[in-house]
Amino acid sequence: MKGRIGPGGPVCYLGSVITLGIETSCDETACGLVDSQMRVLANQVYSQVPIHSEYGGVVPEIAARAHLEKIDPIVRMALAEAELELDSVDQIAFTRGPGLLGPLLVGASFARSLGRALGKPVVGVNHLEGHLASAFLEDPELEPPFLCLVVSGGHTEFVQVEPGLRFTLIGKTRDDAAGEAFDKGGKILGLGYPAGPLVAGLAAGGKRDFTAFPRALEQRDNFEFSFSGLKTSVLRYVETHDPDFVRDNLSHICASLETAIVDVLVKKSIHALTATGMDALTIVGGVSANGYLRERMHAEAKKRGFRAIFPSARYCGDNGVMIAGIAQWRANRGLSSSDLEVKPSLRWN
Ligand code: KG4
Ligand code: ZN
């Protein structure tokens, strides 16, 4: 029998398909459980950030070893959170890429072994599609077509999502991702890793026009981004100002940095919506947790009459729920997953 008997008597998940999702593409070991109503039954994330922070970034070999140690306990914790036994799981989804090869291999082989042991199907999921699923979790009524802005530590791109979950990449960054702009800019300012949330925290009380960092390609009539000049500009700023001045004005400098990044993301989104004729925009990936980006995008949405959909904060960063979610969303519509091969890939498809 599937599911559990609640105190009130009824079986909670009876008749529902349950997908277990495993995420190990970078520095989070995560497992999520989602049912066919897209209800989240469990969300367990082990963050390796404390392990990598002393190196100022993710060390792939160390990440792979930590995934190996944590994947089994995290899956057990997710099942315990949902109060489910392993044999209640109907399909297993895992991140097949893009990501770091060693970490991806850990998740892939764990998922494959689990599938074999249980006699259940195993589905390879694209990590970016996973982020996209976090928008479906937020708004179960959401159906393509819509535009998606993926903003994470490794990606910044516009994806046009058509019915049948067909994706067209319409533009991306030429160099650094928005998350990297936060992380590298913050690192130059002496903040820890990942600096994105720290920059955001300091920026909250700062003057946004304290200094003008560049907004590359902002006025260009395309869907591309370029953030590498921003870190050079922050470096130049730090080199040409007294260290005490920089320290005393850190929140203003962070506010100026955050504003430069968000300005470009918002402007380009409006341009992309206008050019594609779409009236809904989902904003997903780690940087979508940024409060100022949310505030600005919601204000533009209200003014211009489009829908801006952000995942709830706990599903912005890497997690297993989004991996289970996209596999479940596809299964609900009779769509096969992007690739059924249990083989990690470093590319989009
Ligand atoms: O999606 P994610 O968890 O991992 C990747 O797939 O890259 O994104 C991580 C990125 C990091 O660059 C981190 O600094 C950034 O998301 N980030 C933020 C915030 N929270 C996370 N950037 C700005 N503001 C935030 N609140
Ligand atoms: Zn991610």
Side-chain angles (χ1 to χ4, degrees), residues 25-26 28 127 131 151-155 179-180 182-183 194-197 200 258 285-287 289-291 316-318:
S25 68
C26 190
E28 261 91 29
H127 181 78
H131 277 300
V151 265
S152 72
H155 296 266
E180 275 177 294
F182 272 105
D183 293 342
E258 183 180 60
V287 180
N290 185 274
C316 289
D318 293 344

Side-chain angles (χ1 to χ4, degrees), residues 167-199:
F167 301 103
T168 312
L169 180 68
I170 63 168
K172 60 178 187 162
T173 182
R174 293 179 179 176
D175 39 59
D176 288 349
E180 275 177 294
F182 272 105
D183 293 342
K184 291 179 179 174
K187 188 175 179 180
I188 294 165
L189 293 169
L191 304 177
Y193 173 85
L198 305 170
V199 169

Side-chain angles (χ1 to χ4, degrees), residues 16 52 68 80 86 113 138 168 174 194 209 226 244 250 255 315-316:
S16 196
H52 299 289
L68 207 52
L86 201 46
S113 313
E138 184 60 29
T168 312
R174 293 179 179 176
D209 58 355
S226 170
D244 287 343
L250 198 53
Y315 304 130
C316 289

Side-chain angles (χ1 to χ4, degrees), residues 182 196-197 199-200 258 262 285-295 310 316:
F182 272 105
V199 169
E258 183 180 60
V262 169
V287 180
S288 68
N290 185 274
Y292 184 60
L293 173 63
R294 288 171 177 247
E295 187 188 313
F310 286 86
C316 289

